[in-house]
Coordinates of all heavy atoms in Angstrom, one line a residue:
M204 N 43.8 -16.9 -10.0 CA 43.0 -16.1 -10.9 C 41.8 -17.0 -11.4 O 40.7 -16.5 -11.5 CB 43.8 -15.7 -12.1 CG 43.1 -14.7 -13.0 SD 42.8 -13.2 -12.2 CE 43.8 -12.1 -13.1
E205 N 42.0 -18.3 -11.7 CA 40.9 -19.2 -12.0 C 39.9 -19.3 -10.9 O 38.7 -19.4 -11.2 CB 41.5 -20.5 -12.4 CG 42.2 -20.6 -13.8 CD 41.3 -20.2 -14.9 OE1 40.1 -20.8 -15.0 OE2 41.7 -19.5 -15.8
Q206 N 40.4 -19.3 -9.7 CA 39.4 -19.6 -8.6 C 38.4 -18.3 -8.4 O 37.3 -18.6 -8.3 CB 40.2 -19.8 -7.3 CG 39.2 -20.1 -6.1 CD 40.0 -20.4 -4.9 OE1 41.3 -20.1 -4.7 NE2 39.3 -20.9 -3.9
S207 N 39.0 -17.2 -8.6 CA 38.1 -15.9 -8.5 C 37.2 -16.0 -9.7 O 36.0 -15.5 -9.5 CB 39.0 -14.7 -8.5 OG 39.6 -14.5 -9.6
K208 N 37.5 -16.4 -10.8 CA 36.6 -16.4 -11.9 C 35.5 -17.5 -11.7 O 34.4 -17.2 -12.0 CB 37.4 -16.8 -13.3 CG 36.6 -16.7 -14.5 CD 37.4 -17.0 -15.8 CE 36.5 -16.9 -17.0 NZ 37.3 -17.3 -18.2
S209 N 35.9 -18.6 -11.2 CA 34.9 -19.7 -10.8 C 34.0 -19.2 -9.8 O 32.7 -19.4 -9.9 CB 35.7 -20.9 -10.3 OG 34.8 -21.9 -9.9
V210 N 34.4 -18.5 -8.8 CA 33.6 -17.9 -7.7 C 32.6 -16.9 -8.3 O 31.4 -16.9 -8.0 CB 34.4 -17.3 -6.6 CG1 33.5 -16.6 -5.6 CG2 35.1 -18.4 -5.8
S211 N 33.1 -16.1 -9.2 CA 32.3 -15.0 -9.9 C 31.2 -15.7 -10.7 O 30.1 -15.3 -10.7 CB 33.2 -14.2 -10.8 OG 32.4 -13.3 -11.6
E212 N 31.5 -16.8 -11.5 CA 30.5 -17.5 -12.3 C 29.4 -18.1 -11.4 O 28.2 -18.1 -11.7 CB 31.2 -18.5 -13.1 CG 32.0 -17.9 -14.3 CD 32.8 -19.0 -15.0 OE1 32.6 -20.2 -14.8 OE2 33.6 -18.5 -15.9
R213 N 29.9 -18.7 -10.3 CA 28.9 -19.3 -9.3 C 28.0 -18.2 -8.8 O 26.8 -18.5 -8.6 CB 29.7 -20.1 -8.2 CG 30.1 -21.5 -8.7 CD 30.5 -22.3 -7.5 NE 31.9 -22.5 -7.8 CZ 32.8 -22.6 -6.9 NH1 32.6 -22.5 -5.5 NH2 34.1 -22.7 -7.1
S214 N 28.5 -17.2 -8.3 CA 27.8 -16.1 -7.8 C 26.8 -15.5 -8.8 O 25.6 -15.3 -8.4 CB 28.8 -14.9 -7.4 OG 28.0 -13.8 -6.9
R215 N 27.1 -15.5 -10.0 CA 26.2 -15.0 -11.1 C 25.1 -16.1 -11.2 O 23.9 -15.7 -11.4 CB 27.0 -14.8 -12.4 CG 26.0 -14.3 -13.5 CD 26.8 -14.1 -14.7 NE 27.4 -12.7 -14.4 CZ 28.2 -12.2 -15.3 NH1 28.5 -12.7 -16.5 NH2 28.7 -10.9 -15.1
L216 N 25.4 -17.4 -11.2 CA 24.4 -18.4 -11.3 C 23.5 -18.4 -10.2 O 22.2 -18.4 -10.3 CB 25.1 -19.7 -11.4 CG 24.2 -21.0 -11.5 CD1 23.3 -20.9 -12.8 CD2 25.0 -22.2 -11.3
V217 N 24.0 -18.1 -9.0 CA 23.1 -18.1 -7.7 C 22.1 -16.9 -7.8 O 21.0 -17.0 -7.6 CB 24.0 -18.1 -6.5 CG1 23.1 -17.7 -5.3 CG2 24.6 -19.4 -6.2
R218 N 22.7 -15.8 -8.2 CA 21.8 -14.6 -8.4 C 20.7 -14.7 -9.4 O 19.7 -14.3 -9.3 CB 22.7 -13.3 -8.7 CG 23.5 -12.8 -7.4 CD 24.3 -11.6 -7.8 NE 25.4 -12.0 -8.6 CZ 26.2 -11.2 -9.2 NH1 26.0 -10.0 -9.1 NH2 27.1 -11.7 -9.9
T219 N 21.1 -15.4 -10.5 CA 20.1 -15.7 -11.6 C 19.1 -16.6 -11.0 O 17.8 -16.4 -11.4 CB 20.7 -16.3 -12.8 OG1 21.8 -15.4 -13.2 CG2 19.8 -16.6 -14.0
I220 N 19.4 -17.6 -10.3 CA 18.4 -18.5 -9.8 C 17.5 -17.8 -8.8 O 16.3 -18.0 -8.8 CB 19.0 -19.8 -9.2 CG1 19.7 -20.6 -10.3 CG2 18.1 -20.6 -8.4 CD1 20.6 -21.7 -9.8
L221 N 18.1 -17.1 -8.0 CA 17.2 -16.2 -7.0 C 16.3 -15.3 -7.6 O 15.2 -15.1 -7.2 CB 18.2 -15.5 -6.1 CG 18.9 -16.4 -4.9 CD1 19.9 -15.6 -4.1 CD2 17.9 -17.0 -4.0
A222 N 16.8 -14.6 -8.7 CA 15.9 -13.7 -9.5 C 14.8 -14.4 -10.1 O 13.7 -14.0 -10.0 CB 16.8 -13.0 -10.5
A223 N 15.0 -15.6 -10.6 CA 13.9 -16.4 -11.2 C 12.9 -16.8 -10.1 O 11.7 -16.7 -10.3 CB 14.5 -17.7 -11.9
G224 N 13.4 -17.2 -9.0 CA 12.5 -17.6 -7.8 C 11.7 -16.4 -7.4 O 10.5 -16.6 -7.0
L225 N 12.3 -15.3 -7.2 CA 11.5 -14.1 -6.9 C 10.5 -13.7 -7.9 O 9.4 -13.2 -7.6 CB 12.5 -12.8 -6.6 CG 13.2 -12.8 -5.2 CD1 14.2 -11.7 -5.2 CD2 12.1 -12.7 -4.1
A226 N 10.8 -13.9 -9.2 CA 9.9 -13.5 -10.2 C 8.7 -14.5 -10.2 O 7.5 -14.0 -10.2 CB 10.6 -13.7 -11.6
V227 N 8.9 -15.7 -9.9 CA 7.8 -16.7 -9.7 C 7.0 -16.2 -8.5 O 5.7 -16.2 -8.5 CB 8.3 -18.1 -9.6 CG1 7.2 -19.1 -9.1 CG2 8.9 -18.6 -10.9
A228 N 7.6 -15.9 -7.4 CA 6.9 -15.5 -6.2 C 6.1 -14.2 -6.5 O 4.9 -14.1 -5.9 CB 7.9 -15.3 -5.0
A229 N 6.7 -13.3 -7.2 CA 6.0 -12.1 -7.5 C 4.7 -12.3 -8.4 O 3.6 -11.8 -8.1 CB 6.8 -11.1 -8.4
I230 N 4.8 -13.2 -9.4 CA 3.7 -13.6 -10.2 C 2.6 -14.2 -9.3 O 1.4 -13.9 -9.4 CB 4.0 -14.5 -11.3 CG1 4.9 -13.7 -12.3 CG2 2.9 -15.1 -12.0 CD1 5.5 -14.5 -13.4
R231 N 2.9 -15.2 -8.5 CA 2.0 -15.9 -7.6 C 1.3 -15.0 -6.6 O 0.1 -15.0 -6.4 CB 2.7 -17.0 -6.8 CG 2.9 -18.1 -7.7 CD 3.4 -19.4 -6.9 NE 3.7 -20.5 -7.8 CZ 4.2 -21.6 -7.5 NH1 4.7 -21.7 -6.1 NH2 4.5 -22.6 -8.3
S232 N 2.1 -14.0 -6.1 CA 1.6 -13.0 -5.1 C 0.5 -12.1 -5.8 O -0.5 -11.8 -5.3 CB 2.7 -12.1 -4.5 OG 3.4 -13.0 -3.7
L233 N 0.8 -11.7 -7.0 CA -0.1 -10.8 -7.8 C -1.3 -11.5 -8.2 O -2.4 -11.0 -8.2 CB 0.7 -10.3 -9.0 CG 1.7 -9.2 -8.7 CD1 2.5 -8.9 -10.0 CD2 1.2 -7.9 -8.1
Q234 N -1.2 -12.9 -8.5 CA -2.4 -13.6 -8.8 C -3.3 -13.8 -7.6 O -4.6 -13.9 -7.8 CB -2.0 -15.0 -9.4 CG -1.4 -15.0 -10.7 CD -0.9 -16.3 -11.2 OE1 -0.8 -17.3 -10.4 NE2 -0.8 -16.4 -12.5
R235 N -2.7 -13.9 -6.4 CA -3.5 -13.9 -5.2 C -4.1 -12.7 -4.7 O -4.8 -12.6 -3.7 CB -2.7 -14.7 -4.1 CG -2.4 -16.1 -4.5 CD -1.6 -16.7 -3.4 NE -1.2 -18.1 -3.7 CZ -0.1 -18.7 -3.4 NH1 0.7 -18.1 -2.5 NH2 0.1 -19.9 -3.8
G236 N -3.8 -11.6 -5.3 CA -4.2 -10.3 -4.9 C -3.4 -9.5 -3.9 O -3.7 -8.6 -3.4
K237 N -2.2 -10.1 -3.7 CA -1.3 -9.5 -2.7 C -0.4 -8.5 -3.4 O 0.7 -8.9 -3.9 CB -0.4 -10.5 -1.9 CG -1.3 -11.4 -1.1 CD -0.6 -12.5 -0.4 CE -1.4 -13.3 0.4 NZ -0.6 -14.3 1.2
R238 N -0.8 -7.3 -3.7 CA -0.1 -6.3 -4.5 C 1.3 -5.9 -3.9 O 2.3 -5.9 -4.6 CB -0.9 -5.1 -4.7 CG -2.1 -5.3 -5.5 CD -2.8 -4.0 -5.7 NE -4.2 -4.2 -6.1 CZ -5.2 -3.4 -6.1 NH1 -4.8 -2.1 -5.8 NH2 -6.3 -3.6 -6.5
L239 N 1.3 -5.6 -2.6 CA 2.6 -5.2 -2.0 C 3.6 -6.3 -2.1 O 4.8 -6.0 -2.5 CB 2.4 -4.7 -0.6 CG 3.5 -4.2 0.1 CD1 4.1 -3.0 -0.6 CD2 3.2 -3.8 1.6
S240 N 3.3 -7.5 -1.7 CA 4.2 -8.6 -1.7 C 4.7 -8.9 -3.2 O 5.9 -9.1 -3.4 CB 3.6 -9.9 -1.2 OG 3.2 -9.7 0.2
G241 N 3.8 -8.8 -4.1 CA 4.2 -9.0 -5.5 C 5.1 -7.9 -6.0 O 6.0 -8.2 -6.8
A242 N 4.7 -6.7 -5.7 CA 5.6 -5.6 -6.1 C 7.0 -5.7 -5.5 O 8.0 -5.5 -6.2 CB 5.0 -4.3 -5.8
L243 N 7.1 -6.0 -4.2 CA 8.4 -6.1 -3.6 C 9.2 -7.3 -4.1 O 10.4 -7.1 -4.5 CB 8.3 -6.3 -2.1 CG 7.8 -5.1 -1.3 CD1 7.6 -5.4 0.1 CD2 8.8 -3.9 -1.5
A244 N 8.6 -8.4 -4.4 CA 9.3 -9.5 -5.0 C 9.7 -9.2 -6.5 O 10.8 -9.6 -6.9 CB 8.4 -10.8 -5.0
G245 N 8.8 -8.5 -7.1 CA 9.2 -8.1 -8.6 C 10.4 -7.2 -8.6 O 11.3 -7.4 -9.4
V246 N 10.4 -6.2 -7.7 CA 11.5 -5.2 -7.6 C 12.9 -6.0 -7.3 O 13.9 -5.8 -7.9 CB 11.3 -4.1 -6.6 CG1 12.6 -3.4 -6.4 CG2 10.2 -3.2 -7.2
G247 N 12.7 -7.0 -6.3 CA 13.9 -7.8 -6.0 C 14.4 -8.6 -7.1 O 15.6 -8.8 -7.3
A248 N 13.4 -9.2 -7.9 CA 13.8 -10.0 -9.1 C 14.5 -9.2 -10.1 O 15.5 -9.6 -10.7 CB 12.5 -10.6 -9.6
L249 N 14.0 -8.0 -10.3 CA 14.7 -7.0 -11.3 C 16.1 -6.7 -10.8 O 17.0 -6.7 -11.7 CB 13.8 -5.8 -11.5 CG 12.6 -6.0 -12.2 CD1 11.8 -4.7 -12.3 CD2 12.9 -6.4 -13.7
A250 N 16.2 -6.4 -9.6 CA 17.6 -6.0 -9.0 C 18.5 -7.2 -9.1 O 19.7 -7.0 -9.6 CB 17.4 -5.4 -7.6
L251 N 18.1 -8.3 -8.7 CA 19.0 -9.5 -8.8 C 19.3 -9.8 -10.2 O 20.5 -10.2 -10.5 CB 18.5 -10.7 -8.0 CG 18.6 -10.6 -6.5 CD1 17.8 -11.8 -5.9 CD2 20.1 -10.8 -6.1
G252 N 18.3 -9.8 -11.0 CA 18.6 -10.1 -12.4 C 19.5 -9.2 -13.2 O 20.3 -9.6 -13.9
Y253 N 19.3 -7.9 -12.8 CA 20.2 -6.9 -13.4 C 21.6 -7.2 -13.0 O 22.6 -7.1 -13.7 CB 19.8 -5.5 -13.1 CG 20.7 -4.5 -13.7 CD1 20.7 -4.1 -15.0 CD2 21.6 -3.9 -12.8 CE1 21.5 -3.1 -15.5 CE2 22.5 -2.9 -13.3 CZ 22.5 -2.6 -14.6 OH 23.4 -1.7 -15.1
G254 N 21.8 -7.4 -11.6 CA 23.1 -7.6 -11.1 C 23.8 -8.9 -11.7 O 25.0 -8.9 -11.8
A255 N 22.9 -9.9 -12.0 CA 23.5 -11.2 -12.5 C 23.9 -11.0 -14.0 O 24.8 -11.7 -14.4 CB 22.5 -12.2 -12.3
T256 N 23.2 -10.2 -14.7 CA 23.4 -10.1 -16.2 C 24.2 -8.9 -16.6 O 24.7 -8.9 -17.8 CB 22.0 -10.0 -16.9 OG1 21.3 -8.9 -16.5 CG2 21.2 -11.4 -16.7
A257 N 24.5 -8.0 -15.8 CA 25.2 -6.8 -16.2 C 26.6 -7.1 -16.3 O 27.3 -7.6 -15.5 CB 25.1 -5.7 -15.1
E258 N 27.2 -6.9 -17.6 CA 28.6 -7.3 -17.9 C 29.6 -6.3 -17.4 O 30.6 -6.6 -17.0 CB 28.7 -7.6 -19.4 CG 28.0 -8.7 -20.0 CD 28.5 -10.0 -19.5 OE1 29.8 -10.1 -19.3 OE2 27.8 -11.0 -19.3
S259 N 29.2 -5.1 -17.4 CA 30.2 -4.0 -17.2 C 30.3 -3.7 -15.7 O 31.3 -3.1 -15.3 CB 29.8 -2.7 -17.9 OG 28.5 -2.3 -17.3
G260 N 29.5 -4.2 -14.8 CA 29.6 -3.9 -13.5 C 29.4 -2.5 -13.1 O 29.8 -2.0 -12.1
E261 N 28.6 -1.8 -13.9 CA 28.3 -0.4 -13.7 C 27.5 -0.1 -12.4 O 27.8 0.9 -11.7 CB 27.6 0.3 -14.8 CG 26.2 -0.3 -15.2 CD 25.8 0.1 -16.5 OE1 26.5 0.1 -17.5 OE2 24.5 0.3 -16.6
L262 N 26.6 -1.0 -11.9 CA 26.0 -0.9 -10.7 C 27.0 -0.8 -9.5 O 27.0 -0.1 -8.6 CB 24.9 -1.9 -10.5 CG 24.1 -1.8 -9.2 CD1 23.4 -0.5 -9.1 CD2 23.2 -3.0 -9.1
S263 N 28.0 -1.8 -9.6 CA 29.0 -1.9 -8.5 C 29.9 -0.6 -8.6 O 30.3 -0.1 -7.5 CB 29.9 -3.1 -8.8 OG 29.1 -4.3 -8.7
E264 N 30.2 -0.1 -9.8 CA 31.0 1.1 -9.9 C 30.3 2.3 -9.2 O 30.8 3.1 -8.6 CB 31.4 1.4 -11.3 CG 32.3 0.3 -11.9 CD 32.5 0.5 -13.4 OE1 32.0 1.5 -14.0 OE2 33.1 -0.3 -14.0
T265 N 29.0 2.4 -9.5 CA 28.1 3.5 -9.0 C 28.1 3.4 -7.6 O 28.2 4.5 -6.9 CB 26.8 3.4 -9.6 OG1 26.8 3.4 -11.0 CG2 26.0 4.6 -9.1
L266 N 28.0 2.3 -6.9 CA 27.8 2.1 -5.5 C 29.2 2.1 -4.8 O 29.3 2.2 -3.7 CB 27.1 0.9 -5.1 CG 25.6 0.9 -5.6 CD1 25.0 -0.4 -5.3 CD2 24.8 2.1 -5.0
G267 N 30.2 1.9 -5.6 CA 31.6 1.8 -4.9 C 31.9 0.5 -4.3 O 32.8 0.4 -3.5
I268 N 31.2 -0.6 -4.8 CA 31.4 -1.9 -4.2 C 32.6 -2.5 -5.0 O 32.7 -2.5 -6.2 CB 30.2 -2.7 -4.4 CG1 29.0 -2.0 -3.7 CG2 30.4 -4.2 -3.9 CD1 27.6 -2.7 -4.0
G269 N 33.4 -3.2 -4.3 CA 34.5 -4.0 -4.9 C 35.8 -3.2 -5.2 O 36.6 -3.7 -5.9
E270 N 35.8 -2.0 -4.6 CA 37.1 -1.2 -4.9 C 38.2 -1.8 -4.1 O 38.0 -2.2 -2.9 CB 36.8 0.2 -4.5 CG 36.0 1.0 -5.3 CD 35.7 2.5 -4.9 OE1 36.2 2.8 -3.7 OE2 35.3 3.3 -5.7
T271 N 39.4 -1.8 -4.6 CA 40.5 -2.3 -3.9 C 41.0 -1.2 -2.9 O 40.5 0.0 -3.0 CB 41.8 -2.6 -4.9 OG1 42.1 -1.4 -5.5 CG2 41.3 -3.7 -5.9
G272 N 41.9 -1.4 -2.0 CA 42.3 -0.4 -1.1 C 43.0 0.7 -1.7 O 42.8 1.9 -1.3
E273 N 43.6 0.5 -2.9 CA 44.4 1.6 -3.5 C 43.4 2.5 -4.1 O 43.6 3.8 -4.2 CB 45.3 1.0 -4.5 CG 46.2 1.9 -5.3 CD 47.2 2.6 -4.4 OE1 47.6 2.0 -3.4 OE2 47.6 3.8 -4.6
E274 N 42.3 2.0 -4.8 CA 41.4 2.8 -5.5 C 40.5 3.5 -4.5 O 40.1 4.6 -4.8 CB 40.4 1.9 -6.3 CG 41.1 1.2 -7.5 CD 40.2 0.1 -8.1 OE1 39.2 -0.2 -7.5 OE2 40.5 -0.2 -9.2
A275 N 40.2 3.0 -3.3 CA 39.3 3.6 -2.3 C 40.0 4.7 -1.6 O 39.4 5.5 -0.8 CB 38.8 2.6 -1.4
Q276 N 41.4 4.9 -1.6 CA 42.0 5.8 -0.8 C 41.8 7.3 -1.3 O 41.8 7.5 -2.5 CB 43.5 5.6 -0.8 CG 43.9 4.3 0.0 CD 45.4 4.2 0.0 OE1 46.2 4.7 -0.8 NE2 45.9 3.3 0.9
L277 N 41.7 8.2 -0.2 CA 41.7 9.5 -0.6 C 43.1 10.1 -0.9 O 44.0 9.8 -0.2 CB 41.1 10.3 0.7 CG 40.9 11.8 0.5 CD1 39.8 12.0 -0.5 CD2 40.4 12.3 2.0
R278 N 43.2 10.9 -2.0 CA 44.6 11.3 -2.4 C 44.5 12.8 -2.3 O 43.6 13.5 -2.6 CB 44.8 10.8 -3.9 CG 44.9 9.4 -4.0 CD 45.6 9.0 -5.2 NE 46.0 7.6 -5.2 CZ 47.0 7.0 -4.8 NH1 48.0 7.8 -4.2 NH2 47.3 5.8 -4.7
C279 N 45.8 13.3 -2.0 CA 46.1 14.7 -1.9 C 46.0 15.4 -3.4 O 46.7 14.8 -4.3 CB 47.4 15.0 -1.3 SG 47.9 16.7 -1.2
A280 N 45.4 16.4 -3.5 CA 45.3 17.0 -4.9 C 46.6 17.7 -5.3 O 46.8 17.9 -6.5 CB 44.1 18.1 -4.9
V281 N 47.4 18.0 -4.3 CA 48.7 18.7 -4.7 C 49.8 17.7 -5.0 O 50.4 17.7 -6.1 CB 49.1 19.7 -3.5 CG1 50.5 20.3 -3.8 CG2 48.2 20.8 -3.3
C282 N 50.1 16.8 -4.1 CA 51.2 15.8 -4.3 C 50.8 14.5 -4.8 O 51.5 13.7 -5.3 CB 51.9 15.6 -3.0 SG 51.0 14.8 -1.7
G283 N 49.5 14.2 -4.8 CA 49.0 12.9 -5.3 C 49.2 11.7 -4.4 O 48.8 10.6 -4.7
Q284 N 49.8 11.9 -3.2 CA 50.0 10.8 -2.3 C 48.7 10.5 -1.5 O 47.9 11.4 -1.3 CB 51.2 11.2 -1.3 CG 52.4 11.4 -1.9 CD 53.0 10.0 -2.6 OE1 52.8 9.0 -2.0 NE2 53.5 10.2 -3.7
P285 N 48.6 9.2 -1.1 CA 47.3 8.9 -0.3 C 47.3 9.6 1.0 O 48.3 9.9 1.7 CB 47.4 7.4 -0.1 CG 48.7 7.0 -0.5 CD 49.3 8.1 -1.3
I286 N 46.1 10.1 1.4 CA 45.9 10.7 2.8 C 45.5 9.5 3.7 O 44.5 8.9 3.5 CB 44.9 11.7 2.7 CG1 45.3 12.9 1.7 CG2 44.6 12.3 4.1 CD1 44.4 14.0 1.5
R287 N 46.3 9.3 4.7 CA 46.1 8.2 5.6 C 45.1 8.7 6.7 O 45.1 9.8 7.1 CB 47.4 7.7 6.2 CG 48.2 7.0 5.0 CD 49.5 6.5 5.5 NE 50.2 5.8 4.5 CZ 50.9 6.5 3.6 NH1 50.9 7.8 3.5 NH2 51.6 5.8 2.6
P288 N 44.5 7.7 7.4 CA 43.6 8.1 8.6 C 44.5 8.8 9.6 O 45.5 8.3 10.0 CB 43.0 6.8 9.0 CG 43.1 5.9 7.7 CD 44.3 6.4 7.0
G289 N 44.0 9.8 10.1 CA 44.7 10.6 11.2 C 45.6 11.7 10.7 O 46.0 12.5 11.5
E290 N 45.8 11.7 9.4 CA 46.7 12.9 8.9 C 45.8 14.1 8.8 O 44.6 14.0 8.5 CB 47.2 12.5 7.5 CG 48.4 11.6 7.5 CD 49.0 11.4 6.1 OE1 48.2 11.2 5.2 OE2 50.2 11.6 6.0
R291 N 46.5 15.3 9.1 CA 45.7 16.5 9.0 C 45.6 16.8 7.6 O 46.4 16.8 6.8 CB 46.5 17.6 9.8 CG 46.6 17.2 11.3 CD 47.1 18.3 12.0 NE 46.3 19.5 11.9 CZ 45.9 20.2 12.9 NH1 46.3 19.9 14.1 NH2 45.1 21.2 12.7
R292 N 44.4 17.2 7.2 CA 44.0 17.6 5.8 C 42.8 18.6 5.8 O 42.2 18.9 6.8 CB 43.6 16.3 5.0 CG 42.3 15.7 5.6 CD 42.0 14.4 4.9 NE 40.8 13.9 5.4 CZ 40.6 13.1 6.3 NH1 41.6 12.7 7.1 NH2 39.4 12.6 6.6
G293 N 42.7 19.2 4.7 CA 41.6 20.2 4.5 C 41.5 20.7 3.1 O 42.3 20.3 2.2
P294 N 40.4 21.5 2.8 CA 40.2 21.9 1.5 C 41.2 23.1 1.2 O 41.5 24.0 2.0 CB 38.8 22.4 1.5 CG 38.6 22.7 2.9 CD 39.4 21.8 3.7
N295 N 41.7 23.2 0.0 CA 42.5 24.4 -0.5 C 41.6 25.4 -1.1 O 40.3 25.2 -1.0 CB 43.6 23.8 -1.4 CG 43.1 23.4 -2.7 OD1 41.9 23.3 -3.0 ND2 44.0 22.8 -3.5
E296 N 42.2 26.4 -1.7 CA 41.3 27.5 -2.4 C 40.4 27.0 -3.5 O 39.4 27.6 -3.8 CB 42.2 28.6 -2.8 CG 43.2 28.3 -3.9 CD 44.5 27.7 -3.4 OE1 44.7 27.7 -2.1 OE2 45.3 27.3 -4.2
N297 N 40.8 25.9 -4.1 CA 39.9 25.3 -5.1 C 39.0 24.2 -4.6 O 38.4 23.5 -5.4 CB 40.8 24.6 -6.2 CG 41.7 25.6 -6.9 OD1 41.3 26.8 -7.1 ND2 42.8 25.2 -7.4
N298 N 38.9 24.1 -3.3 CA 38.0 23.2 -2.6 C 38.4 21.7 -2.9 O 37.5 20.9 -3.0 CB 36.5 23.5 -2.9 CG 35.6 23.0 -1.9 OD1 35.9 22.9 -0.7 ND2 34.3 22.8 -2.1
E299 N 39.6 21.5 -3.0 CA 40.2 20.1 -3.2 C 40.8 19.7 -1.9 O 41.4 20.5 -1.1 CB 41.2 20.0 -4.3 CG 40.6 20.4 -5.6 CD 41.7 20.6 -6.7 OE1 42.8 21.1 -6.3 OE2 41.4 20.2 -7.8
I300 N 40.7 18.5 -1.5 CA 41.3 17.9 -0.3 C 42.8 17.8 -0.4 O 43.3 17.1 -1.3 CB 40.7 16.6 0.2 CG1 39.2 16.8 0.4 CG2 41.3 16.1 1.4 CD1 38.8 17.7 1.4
V301 N 43.6 18.3 0.5 CA 45.1 18.3 0.4 C 45.7 18.1 1.8 O 44.9 18.4 2.8 CB 45.7 19.6 -0.2 CG1 45.2 19.8 -1.7 CG2 45.3 20.7 0.6
H302 N 46.9 17.6 1.8 CA 47.6 17.5 3.1 C 47.8 18.9 3.8 O 47.9 19.9 3.0 CB 49.0 16.9 3.0 CG 49.0 15.4 2.6 ND1 49.3 15.0 1.3 CD2 48.6 14.4 3.3 CE1 49.3 13.8 1.4 NE2 48.8 13.2 2.5
E303 N 47.8 19.1 5.0 CA 48.0 20.4 5.7 C 49.4 20.9 5.3 O 49.6 22.1 5.1 CB 47.7 20.3 7.1 CG 47.8 21.6 7.8 CD 47.5 21.5 9.3 OE1 46.2 21.6 9.6 OE2 48.4 21.4 10.1
T304 N 50.4 20.0 5.2 CA 51.7 20.3 5.0 C 51.8 20.9 3.4 O 52.5 21.9 3.2 CB 52.7 19.2 5.1 OG1 52.3 18.0 4.4 CG2 52.9 18.9 6.6
C305 N 51.1 20.3 2.5 CA 51.1 20.7 1.1 C 50.3 22.1 1.1 O 50.7 22.9 0.3 CB 50.3 19.7 0.3 SG 51.2 18.1 0.2
M306 N 49.4 22.2 1.9 CA 48.6 23.5 1.8 C 49.5 24.6 2.4 O 49.5 25.8 1.8 CB 47.4 23.4 2.7 CG 46.4 24.6 2.5 SD 44.8 24.4 3.5 CE 44.7 22.8 4.0
E307 N 50.2 24.4 3.4 CA 51.1 25.4 4.0 C 52.4 25.7 3.0 O 52.8 26.7 2.9 CB 51.7 24.9 5.4 CG 50.7 24.8 6.4 CD 51.2 24.2 7.7 OE1 52.3 23.7 7.7 OE2 50.4 24.2 8.6
A308 N 52.8 24.7 2.4 CA 53.9 24.9 1.4 C 53.4 25.7 0.2 O 54.2 26.5 -0.4 CB 54.4 23.5 0.9
A309 N 52.2 25.6 -0.2 CA 51.6 26.3 -1.3 C 51.5 27.8 -1.0 O 51.5 28.7 -1.9 CB 50.3 25.7 -1.8
K310 N 51.3 28.2 0.3 CA 51.1 29.5 0.7 C 52.3 30.3 0.6 O 53.2 30.6 0.3 CB 50.6 29.6 2.1 CG 49.1 29.2 2.2 CD 48.6 29.3 3.6 CE 47.2 28.7 3.6 NZ 46.6 28.8 4.9

């Protein structure tokens, strides 16, 4: 547990340093009249800075990054069991994904 916390802290530090570097690059590019380079570096700095400072991880939740295997599994709306790759499934009358056997049992 301590090792993952340490890795997380180092990752946050690296992202913060990279965001600061991109911010400096953006300012220099804009001073030299390179608008596109400055704008791209600025957007990169904002994205990295937000990712480094966001406490809640809402960006990761939105994108689905970092989900465990249990959270990422598709589940049957009828029985609640995970639907494994290769299992027959389809939408029921409520447009929810269910096992084919659960759909047949409901009919």
Side-chain angles (χ1 to χ4, degrees):
M204 194 63 119
E205 285 296 318
Q206 185 177 9
S207 66
K208 185 177 181 182
S209 175
V210 170
S211 174
E212 289 174 4
R213 276 189 251 148
S214 174
R215 179 173 284 177
L216 177 65
V217 168
R218 287 182 287 173
T219 304
I220 291 170
L221 286 174
L225 278 174
V227 169
I230 292 170
R231 286 188 181 170
S232 293
L233 290 172
Q234 287 175 344
R235 293 182 184 150
K237 298 180 179 179
R238 292 184 201 168
L239 182 61
S240 299
L243 290 175
V246 168
L249 286 173
L251 279 173
Y253 177 77
T256 59
E258 292 292 325
S259 65
E261 58 193 43
L262 181 62
S263 298
E264 292 171 7
T265 303
L266 297 176
I268 299 170
E270 291 181 345
T271 63
E273 185 68 25
E274 294 169 346
Q276 287 182 347
L277 183 63
R278 295 200 171 270
C279 176
V281 174
C282 66
Q284 296 296 318
I286 299 175
R287 292 177 181 76
E290 283 187 310
R291 297 185 65 132
R292 62 187 184 273
N295 63 5
E296 61 274 354
N297 297 330
N298 208 21
E299 299 170 321
I300 301 297
V301 297
H302 291 110
E303 188 174 272
T304 54
C305 294
M306 195 178 341
E307 291 172 357
K310 289 181 183 180

